[in-house]
Amino acid sequence: MEVSASTDKRPEPIDLSHHYSKATKNRVESSIKGFYKYFAIPGIGNLAGGLPNNNYFPFDTLEAAAALPERFTPTPNKPVDPPIAQLAATKLSDDVSSSRVVVPKASDNEDILRKIDLKTALQYGTAQGYPPLYSFLRQFTTQNLHPNVPYKEGPEILLTCGSTDGFSKTLEALTNTWNEDKDPIADKEGLLVEEFCYMNAIAAARPRGLNIVPVAIDDEGMKAHGTGGLYHVLSTWDESRGKRPHLIYTVTIGQNPTGGTLSVQRRKEIYTVCVKFDVIIVEDDPYWYLQYPSANAANNHDPSLSGAAHLEFNGPIQERPMTQKSSGYPFLDTLIPSYLSVDYQGRVVRLDTFSKTVAPGCRLGWITTQPKLCERLLRITETSTQQPSGFVQAMIAELIMGPHDPKHGRGGDKGAKGWKMDGWIRWLEGLRGNYERRMQTMCTILEDGKELIKTGHRKSLDDEWSVVKKVRPYDFIWPLGGMFVWVRINFSHHPLYPTTSLAKLANALWIHLTTKKYLVLVSPGTIFSPSDEIRDKKGWSYFRMCFAAVDEPDVEKTTKRFVAGVHDFWKKKSLDDIEELEAAGVGKDMEEGLLDLRGGWGC
Amino acid sequence: MEVSASTDKRPEPIDLSHHYSKATKNRVESSIKGFYKYFAIPGIGNLAGGLPNNNYFPFDTLEAAAALPERFTPTPNKPVDPPIAQLAATKLSDDVSSSRVVVPKASDNEDILRKIDLKTALQYGTAQGYPPLYSFLRQFTTQNLHPNVPYKEGPEILLTCGSTDGFSKTLEALTNTWNEDKDPIADKEGLLVEEFCYMNAIAAARPRGLNIVPVAIDDEGMKAHGTGGLYHVLSTWDESRGKRPHLIYTVTIGQNPTGGTLSVQRRKEIYTVCVKFDVIIVEDDPYWYLQYPSANAANNHDPSLSGAAHLEFNGPIQERPMTQKSSGYPFLDTLIPSYLSVDYQGRVVRLDTFSKTVAPGCRLGWITTQPKLCERLLRITETSTQQPSGFVQAMIAELIMGPHDPKHGRGGDKGAKGWKMDGWIRWLEGLRGNYERRMQTMCTILEDGKELIKTGHRKSLDDEWSVVKKVRPYDFIWPLGGMFVWVRINFSHHPLYPTTSLAKLANALWIHLTTKKYLVLVSPGTIFSPSDEIRDKKGWSYFRMCFAAVDEPDVEKTTKRFVAGVHDFWKKKSLDDIEELEAAGVGKDMEEGLLDLRGGWGC
């Protein structure tokens, strides 16, 4: 239920215009609206527009065989349901988990918020987004996903070509390019990031001449206080490096690469610091629906873990403060909410994407932020991407919202109907179930292999015949969200340390794992290090392992090979074989820490 | 046939890096390539990437009913074929001009340049473009569309989210933002544009603080020489306005709004000026395949037209210089070629789009330019749009290139096969036929109404009883390409001039045309004026009329109403009725010249 402006007692969002880049301030609103009234004259012959004729589009319908939202079972779900291999081979007619989605050439629906057809979707459109999809996402965002945004009238949304595009536009809106050849250092702006972070964001920011400023993290994510935490970084900012940073880029659920998930308490602490230092938070949240309460229980067994691993997931709505509205869905109510839920000043820019909920190739997402900033981002969109592709907008709109017109509907499939909001949420629950199962598979094996029983030989007559020693080659926490497990290898416990340096051991293990017996490729922590200092100091001690991409049975097999590889590596008395491989160039790229995660590497 | 580098005697493209923006110079190449060799290890368990699992994408197939390339008849074609209304109502099964296009979940094709499936198209991909579509377009661009690029090894391509996105990235690559509050005027860069031009390009450039510098045009397009021509503007550049502009934005075929089409001779003249002043040419060419030789013949009838309206279209290849390679297609060989055909230094950036050849909602296009600049644009793409949507890339790839796999092919439709290169060219010929017919319909009616027979009454006893006078209320040339007719209204011949000002008459006519009797909406020239001076001096004297957008029968009806409206306007003895409408606010937007062409307005 939307609150009308007059009875809305929430505070107005603050004015952020002092943070707009010069180019963003310069943008003027399109005055095309002045023409709309003429378009609306009944019978007008419109020779004014410059559109091609939609009868000449070669596509007469766009169709798909698509999953029903019930295809996958929500958490807890074992075993796989239905078997993936079977799905791939299934024909639509005998697969009850699929139905046909059809976007017709022309729909008779007169409501433009519900009219989904190729005539409109493949024509020029509005930069905000295809009206049916925009209105669906706006409702989902403001009423279901974030029902408790604490500023007046709440946020606005804008469709993007995915979150990388959304972040690029946010940088364009909120940062000025700095040129070391001519601009004073005082003009150099900065971007605050987690100590280990998603490097594509940095690749977007660095060419603009921004300071990249890492903030210390713990198992949850960015620290508000303590050495290297946000308050510390901002309050001790040295102006000789540039302007005090005014922007944070952060992933708060299942962070990439650390898997960290930020509690509401920590969000409030960070937000308070941001208010004090006038900082805008860009929350990139591709994994928000992938939250794993089962990881909490697992972490609780391990007394050595810090408190950070034990997050309070939201209880059902009746246990929440009376002031908090329900999302309308028990699943959504249990998720740790966005920074938007504490954003009483309107200083959060949230990036959502269909990359993980549907597919990365959609290149479709949306920005949620206060209306005035959203309007500036809309202006940027008008002269760059204009709108996401109508092909994907129409298909996603029809998948979720259709069919409204029974004659075009679902191709006559029995019982087939559009997903609607209920189906959309149900689909997300099913995905969460799948990824949570994968996470458990990987973490159970890692847990079992965490301790290595080492039988030593007596070195003197005084020793007992044999000594049983437990060593821990690695540590990790079960991730509370996302797609990654962040494993810290305890190289200082390796028998070859200190005769061999830690960084050298790290490189050796990475190479060792790729050899024939183990055949495991993991991401070295070096490639997620936003500074050379972090890379050299500790980047080498971490590996990121993704349980999302490989086929289901391979999660188990590959993780077992990883554990065996680490255990065998711990038995090594020399690195001669690795050095041979290194001499041939293997592992060089990892060692140099040059790699980043753009392009086909995914995010 | 590609020429191998060693025997390629063409000159190397020049180094343009001094034109790169600071942010573009700062970009570093992704070093992900270092990892590829590990991905290729047989049996490797890849836990390193961060991709979601493609089995969890809800789309099992993507399909479409799509036109066969023969749907429309090429020039000359009368009447409409097949009737549009019939097409819209046709079912696939009984429509021989349609076939089914199917993108399967997984294709067995092992050649990634031919493998088109959802597993790859909906996953993260490379910024260059989806490999099958990229390779098709690269071949089409380098071997068919521009077989005669005069620099070594020829150009490279990069897929975009449409030409607005392509231009935005080009601006990002080649211009620095200028801030009047702190940057010296000497740093202010500039963009050269036609005197009347596509305003969305200006809306993209202006916020960056660029000087927008109009260049005089004639019926062809930008003038190389003479007052206000390119040479004049650059050679008399006043440095107190900023840096001498180093970039042109131009539409050379069926220019928007003037419909001008630039001859090869003029291209050479402009290019020579650009070489002298080190200027880069951005050629936005959405209408290249819409060239109308029949307009030439029509213009030849009118001795009052300047020579510019009579362009030499290319003859068939045998009549062309021996040094020129054929495109392989007679249709392409007859088209006036791109600036790339004279680009011996590599200073042309060409923007292509599927907006007019397929549909604007594709948001799909490509940039063609020298490889080094293309590489910089690729870096920009990696951290912004990443790649066009896989939905549209897969559908267009399958439409044109598929099916490679008979079992997924065209859904078993009889005789159905992929368009392939031959079909693609044939489709374009059919479209040209349709739009050329529309152009002829509109221009024939305009031609017939160009002269107004006016019967005057004797004012004195010495006059004859009545005088027959011919007046020309408007002039135009038949456009040699594109979607627009640019009509100059001769307001100084109107009976109410000079008692009423020309600009006021212009506004009155525009309003008059929208009234009940005529119901015609045309675009006032004011909205295509890149400067206030041009708008006030002559913007009001032009109307742009688009023959592309309205339904076919309406081209005739609406144009007739336009002519009748102009003729009746010429009989007006007072503007009282218009003034009444103006008082109610009608036409205010047009008069203020505030309108531009973004968003739903098309281009």
Side-chain angles (χ1 to χ4, degrees):
Chain A
M1 196 178 67
E2 291 211 53
V3 182
S4 80
S6 57
T7 61
D8 192 340
K9 301 290 182 228
R10 294 174 290 179
E12 294 271 3
I14 59 169
D15 181 2
L16 293 178
S17 60
H18 58 289
H19 285 309
Y20 295 170
S21 69
K22 183 67 188 172
T24 298
K25 285 180 188 155
N26 286 343
R27 288 182 181 271
V28 290
E29 188 176 356
S30 162
S31 41
I32 176 64
K33 282 170 195 158
F35 248 132
Y36 284 162
K37 56 175 178 266
Y38 301 105
F39 288 179
I41 297 173
I44 195 87
N46 188 343
L47 304 178
L51 314 174
N53 191 280
N54 69 64
N55 287 311
Y56 300 158
F57 302 165
F59 290 97
D60 299 334
T61 66
L62 206 55
E63 303 174 35
L68 292 179
E70 299 79 15
R71 178 174 286 182
F72 303 114
T73 306
T75 299
N77 69 341
K78 316 194 163 205
V80 188
D81 52 339
I84 293 292
Q86 182 187 309
L87 268 185
T90 304
K91 286 212 174 63
L92 198 63
S93 53
D94 54 40
D95 173 17
V96 291
S97 79
S98 294
S99 74
R100 182 162 293 282
V101 177
V102 181
V103 182
K105 180 78 175 192
S107 156
D108 298 336
N109 203 316
E110 282 176 17
D111 178 356
I112 65 152
L113 299 185
R114 294 178 177 278
K115 184 192 194 73
I116 303 169
D117 63 19
L118 296 184
K119 215 170 147 171
T120 54
L122 298 190
Q123 192 49 279
Y124 285 104
T126 58
Q128 202 168 43
Y130 188 47
L133 187 63
Y134 164 78
S135 74
F136 172 84
L137 286 175
R138 192 176 190 285
Q139 180 185 334
F140 172 63
T141 299
T142 57
Q143 293 174 49
N144 307 111
L145 194 54
H146 318 297
N148 295 295
V149 180
Y151 56 80
K152 191 161 190 168
E153 294 183 56
E156 186 48 83
I157 71 159
L158 168 70
L159 269 69
T160 64
C161 298
S163 286
T164 303
D165 175 51
F167 184 56
S168 167
K169 286 168 175 159
T170 305
L171 279 177
E172 167 74 19
L174 297 173
T175 68
N176 287 293
T177 298
W178 181 81
N179 182 341
E180 83 252 27
D181 301 334
K182 57 173 205 158
D183 293 329
I185 190 74
D187 289 350
K188 188 177 173 76
E189 301 175 355
L191 181 70
L192 298 147
V193 296
E194 286 114 354
E195 199 173 29
F196 290 106
C197 68
Y198 176 50
M199 293 301 281
N200 205 11
I202 289 180
R206 201 168 259 153
R208 296 179 74 87
L210 303 186
N211 274 312
I212 305 298
V213 185
V215 179
I217 57 172
D218 59 14
D219 293 341
E220 274 190 50
M222 193 174 276
K223 288 168 73 171
H225 299 287
T227 307
L230 187 64
Y231 186 90
H232 182 236
V233 167
L234 291 169
S235 62
T236 63
W237 182 255
D238 174 4
E239 303 260 332
S240 73
R241 291 178 63 191
K243 270 177 91 165
R244 198 179 60 211
H246 69 294
L247 202 62
I248 293 178
Y249 171 84
T250 182
V251 178
T252 64
I253 306 285
Q255 199 256 7
N256 185 358
T258 68
T261 292
L262 216 61
S263 65
V264 175
Q265 180 54 34
R266 178 71 60 81
R267 284 168 206 264
K268 288 179 181 163
E269 291 163 16
I270 294 274
Y271 192 84
T272 303
V273 177
C274 289
V275 169
K276 182 172 172 62
F277 293 98
D278 191 18
V279 172
I280 295 172
I281 300 172
V282 184
E283 173 185 63
D284 184 5
D285 201 359
Y287 314 113
W288 58 271
Y289 65 100
L290 298 179
Q291 299 189 24
Y292 312 131
S294 65
N296 246 339
N299 288 325
N300 278 330
H301 293 311
D302 189 337
S304 74
L305 288 173
S306 73
H310 314 287
L311 293 188
E312 290 306 314
F313 283 83
N314 289 323
I317 190 70
Q318 54 271 36
E319 297 169 27
R320 300 163 77 189
M322 288 298 288
T323 52
Q324 297 284 292
K325 270 185 281 183
S326 168
S327 69
Y329 293 92
F331 171 70
L332 297 181
D333 280 344
T334 63
L335 301 177
I336 293 175
S338 159
Y339 263 122
L340 284 169
S341 71
V342 301
D343 183 24
Y344 65 89
Q345 290 196 322
R347 55 173 70 252
V348 172
V349 181
R350 180 183 162 89
L351 308 177
D352 275 277
T353 177
F354 282 96
S355 287
K356 311 300 191 294
T357 56
V358 175
C362 291
R363 304 320 307 138
L364 186 69
W366 71 99
I367 294 174
T368 309
T369 192
Q370 58 152 291
K372 281 187 182 157
L373 177 53
C374 211
E375 183 271 343
R376 293 287 87 187
L377 292 160
L378 180 67
R379 297 284 92 80
I380 293 172
T381 303
E382 283 170 345
T383 62
S384 56
T385 56
Q386 293 197 322
Q387 54 165 335
S389 175
F391 281 75
V392 64
Q393 291 201 85
M395 284 310 291
I396 303 277
E398 186 68 36
L399 175 75
I400 300 179
M401 305 171 68
H404 296 288
D405 183 347
K407 83 170 182 277
H408 295 301
R410 289 289 194 234
D413 286 13
K414 238 185 292 181
K417 57 180 184 354
W419 285 14
K420 306 294 188 298
M421 192 67 79
D422 291 358
W424 171 238
I425 309 291
R426 176 61 185 77
W427 171 254
L428 299 175
E429 285 188 79
L431 286 182
R432 196 265 294 263
N434 280 340
Y435 285 112
E436 185 161 18
R437 187 182 62 240
R438 285 163 168 267
M439 180 278 293
Q440 287 170 332
T441 304
M442 181 175 277
C443 287
T444 303
I445 297 163
L446 289 174
E447 189 76 45
D448 290 349
K450 216 158 72 169
E451 295 196 332
L452 182 61
I453 313 288
K454 239 183 112 182
T455 310
H457 297 284
R458 65 177 186 174
K459 286 174 187 159
S460 77
L461 289 174
D462 295 332
D463 282 359
E464 294 186 38
W465 270 100
S466 68
V467 218
V468 176
K469 285 208 304 183
K470 281 188 186 171
V471 293
R472 268 189 119 123
Y474 59 84
D475 279 302
F476 74 102
I477 65 159
W478 294 50
L480 296 159
M483 298 186 165
F484 308 111
V485 184
W486 185 239
V487 179
R488 191 187 69 220
I489 312 284
N490 300 318
F491 289 108
S492 59
H493 299 183
H494 193 278
L496 289 173
Y497 178 78
T499 51
T500 310
S501 80
L502 296 169
K504 195 171 167 58
L505 280 168
N507 194 42
L509 173 56
W510 191 84
I511 294 171
H512 170 78
L513 288 167
T514 64
T515 59
K516 212 164 181 181
K517 192 165 171 194
Y518 313 106
L519 285 172
V520 183
L521 197 65
V522 294
S523 281
T526 46
I527 69 176
F528 307 101
S529 307
S531 72
D532 293 353
E533 191 194 340
I534 291 168
R535 184 190 68 201
D536 296 340
K537 201 173 143 198
K538 54 184 175 181
W540 46 264
S541 64
Y542 292 94
F543 289 154
R544 187 193 78 174
M545 296 171 67
C546 175
F547 49 82
V550 294
D551 285 340
E552 179 98 18
D554 291 340
V555 177
E556 184 178 343
K557 283 189 239 165
T558 314
T559 310
K560 282 183 172 165
R561 295 207 303 269
F562 172 84
V563 171
V566 174
H567 288 187
D568 288 354
F569 185 75
W570 239 254
K571 293 172 194 151
K572 273 192 180 296
K573 300 280 187 315
S574 97
L575 297 181
D576 291 350
D577 56 333
I578 303 289
E579 275 158 13
E580 232 168 80
L581 288 168
E582 278 185 301
V586 177
K588 197 161 165 289
D589 320 286
M590 179 265 172
E591 192 173 20
E592 289 176 359
L594 286 174
L595 298 161
D596 63 40
L597 299 191
R598 274 173 277 166
W601 195 233
C603 79
Chain B
M1 196 178 65
E2 291 213 51
V3 182
S4 79
S6 58
T7 62
D8 192 340
K9 302 290 181 226
R10 294 174 290 178
E12 295 271 3
I14 60 170
D15 182 2
L16 293 178
S17 60
H18 57 290
H19 285 309
Y20 296 169
S21 69
K22 185 66 188 171
T24 298
K25 285 181 188 154
N26 286 344
R27 288 184 181 271
V28 290
E29 187 177 357
S30 162
S31 42
I32 175 65
K33 282 171 196 158
F35 249 130
Y36 284 161
K37 55 177 179 263
Y38 301 104
F39 288 179
I41 297 173
I44 196 84
N46 189 345
L47 304 177
L51 314 174
N53 191 281
N54 68 64
N55 288 309
Y56 300 159
F57 302 164
F59 290 97
D60 299 334
T61 65
L62 207 53
E63 303 173 37
L68 292 180
E70 299 78 17
R71 178 173 285 181
F72 303 114
T73 306
T75 299
N77 70 341
K78 325 195 156 205
V80 188
D81 52 337
I84 292 293
Q86 182 186 312
L87 269 185
T90 304
K91 284 213 175 62
L92 197 61
S93 52
D94 54 39
D95 173 16
V96 290
S97 80
S98 293
S99 74
R100 182 161 293 282
V101 177
V102 180
V103 182
K105 181 78 175 190
S107 155
D108 298 336
N109 203 316
E110 284 176 16
D111 178 358
I112 64 153
L113 299 186
R114 293 178 176 276
K115 185 192 194 76
I116 302 168
D117 63 19
L118 295 184
K119 215 170 148 172
T120 55
L122 299 190
Q123 192 50 278
Y124 285 104
T126 58
Q128 202 167 42
Y130 188 47
L133 187 62
Y134 164 78
S135 74
F136 170 84
L137 287 175
R138 192 176 188 284
Q139 182 187 333
F140 172 63
T141 300
T142 57
Q143 292 174 49
N144 307 112
L145 194 53
H146 318 297
N148 295 296
V149 181
Y151 56 80
K152 192 161 190 166
E153 294 183 55
E156 186 48 84
I157 71 159
L158 168 69
L159 269 70
T160 64
C161 299
S163 285
T164 304
D165 176 52
F167 184 56
S168 167
K169 285 168 176 161
T170 304
L171 279 177
E172 167 74 20
L174 297 173
T175 67
N176 287 292
T177 297
W178 181 81
N179 183 340
E180 84 252 28
D181 301 335
K182 57 172 203 158
D183 294 327
I185 190 75
D187 289 350
K188 187 175 172 77
E189 300 174 358
L191 181 70
L192 298 148
V193 296
E194 286 115 355
E195 201 174 28
F196 289 107
C197 68
Y198 176 50
M199 293 302 279
N200 206 10
I202 289 181
R206 201 168 259 154
R208 296 179 74 86
L210 302 186
N211 275 312
I212 305 298
V213 184
V215 178
I217 57 172
D218 60 15
D219 293 341
E220 273 190 53
M222 193 174 276
K223 288 168 74 171
H225 298 289
T227 307
L230 187 64
Y231 186 89
H232 182 236
V233 167
L234 291 169
S235 62
T236 61
W237 182 255
D238 174 4
E239 303 261 336
S240 73
R241 291 178 63 191
K243 269 177 91 164
R244 198 178 61 211
H246 69 294
L247 202 62
I248 293 178
Y249 171 83
T250 183
V251 178
T252 63
I253 305 286
Q255 199 256 9
N256 184 357
T258 67
T261 292
L262 216 60
S263 64
V264 175
Q265 179 56 33
R266 179 71 61 82
R267 282 167 208 266
K268 286 179 182 164
E269 290 164 15
I270 294 274
Y271 192 85
T272 302
V273 177
C274 289
V275 169
K276 180 169 173 63
F277 292 98
D278 191 19
V279 172
I280 295 172
I281 300 171
V282 184
E283 173 186 63
D284 185 3
D285 202 359
Y287 314 113
W288 58 270
Y289 64 101
L290 298 180
Q291 298 188 23
Y292 312 133
S294 64
N296 246 339
N299 288 325
N300 279 330
H301 293 310
D302 189 337
S304 73
L305 289 173
S306 73
H310 315 287
L311 292 189
E312 289 306 314
F313 282 84
N314 289 322
I317 189 69
Q318 53 270 35
E319 297 169 28
R320 299 164 76 189
M322 289 298 288
T323 52
Q324 298 282 295
K325 270 185 282 184
S326 168
S327 69
Y329 292 93
F331 172 68
L332 297 182
D333 280 344
T334 63
L335 301 177
I336 292 176
S338 159
Y339 263 123
L340 285 169
S341 70
V342 300
D343 183 23
Y344 65 89
Q345 290 196 323
R347 54 172 71 251
V348 172
V349 181
R350 180 183 163 89
L351 308 177
D352 276 277
T353 177
F354 281 96
S355 287
K356 312 299 191 295
T357 55
V358 175
C362 290
R363 304 318 309 136
L364 186 68
W366 71 99
I367 294 174
T368 310
T369 192
Q370 59 153 288
K372 280 185 182 159
L373 176 54
C374 210
E375 183 271 344
R376 293 288 88 186
L377 291 161
L378 180 66
R379 298 284 92 80
I380 292 171
T381 303
E382 283 169 345
T383 63
S384 55
T385 57
Q386 293 198 322
Q387 52 165 335
S389 175
F391 281 76
V392 63
Q393 291 202 83
M395 284 310 292
I396 303 278
E398 186 68 34
L399 175 75
I400 300 179
M401 305 172 66
H404 298 288
D405 182 348
K407 82 170 183 276
H408 294 301
R410 291 288 194 232
D413 285 13
K414 237 184 295 179
K417 58 179 182 359
W419 286 13
K420 306 293 186 299
M421 192 67 78
D422 291 357
W424 172 238
I425 308 292
R426 176 63 184 77
W427 172 253
L428 299 175
E429 285 187 79
L431 285 182
R432 195 264 295 262
N434 280 341
Y435 284 112
E436 186 161 18
R437 186 182 61 240
R438 285 163 169 267
M439 179 278 292
Q440 287 169 335
T441 303
M442 181 175 278
C443 287
T444 302
I445 296 162
L446 289 175
E447 188 75 47
D448 290 348
K450 219 158 71 168
E451 294 196 333
L452 183 61
I453 312 287
K454 239 184 112 182
T455 310
H457 297 286
R458 65 178 189 174
K459 286 173 186 156
S460 77
L461 288 174
D462 294 334
D463 281 356
E464 296 185 36
W465 271 99
S466 69
V467 216
V468 175
K469 283 207 306 183
K470 280 189 189 173
V471 292
R472 267 189 120 120
Y474 58 83
D475 278 301
F476 75 103
I477 64 159
W478 295 49
L480 295 160
M483 298 186 164
F484 307 112
V485 183
W486 185 239
V487 179
R488 192 187 67 220
I489 312 284
N490 301 319
F491 289 108
S492 59
H493 298 184
H494 193 279
L496 289 173
Y497 178 78
T499 52
T500 311
S501 81
L502 296 170
K504 196 173 168 58
L505 280 169
N507 194 42
L509 173 56
W510 190 84
I511 293 171
H512 170 77
L513 288 168
T514 64
T515 59
K516 213 166 180 178
K517 190 164 172 199
Y518 313 106
L519 286 173
V520 183
L521 197 64
V522 293
S523 280
T526 47
I527 70 175
F528 306 101
S529 307
S531 72
D532 293 353
E533 191 195 340
I534 291 169
R535 185 191 67 203
D536 296 340
K537 199 174 142 200
K538 53 183 174 181
W540 46 264
S541 63
Y542 292 94
F543 288 154
R544 188 193 77 174
M545 296 172 68
C546 176
F547 50 81
V550 293
D551 285 341
E552 180 96 18
D554 292 340
V555 177
E556 185 179 342
K557 283 189 240 166
T558 314
T559 310
K560 282 183 172 164
R561 295 206 303 269
F562 171 83
V563 171
V566 174
H567 287 187
D568 289 353
F569 185 74
W570 239 253
K571 294 175 194 150
K572 273 192 180 297
K573 301 277 184 324
S574 96
L575 296 181
D576 291 351
D577 56 333
I578 303 288
E579 275 159 13
E580 229 169 82
L581 290 168
E582 278 184 302
V586 177
K588 196 162 166 292
D589 320 286
M590 181 266 174
E591 192 172 20
E592 288 176 0
L594 285 173
L595 298 161
D596 63 39
L597 298 191
R598 275 174 277 165
W601 195 235
C603 81

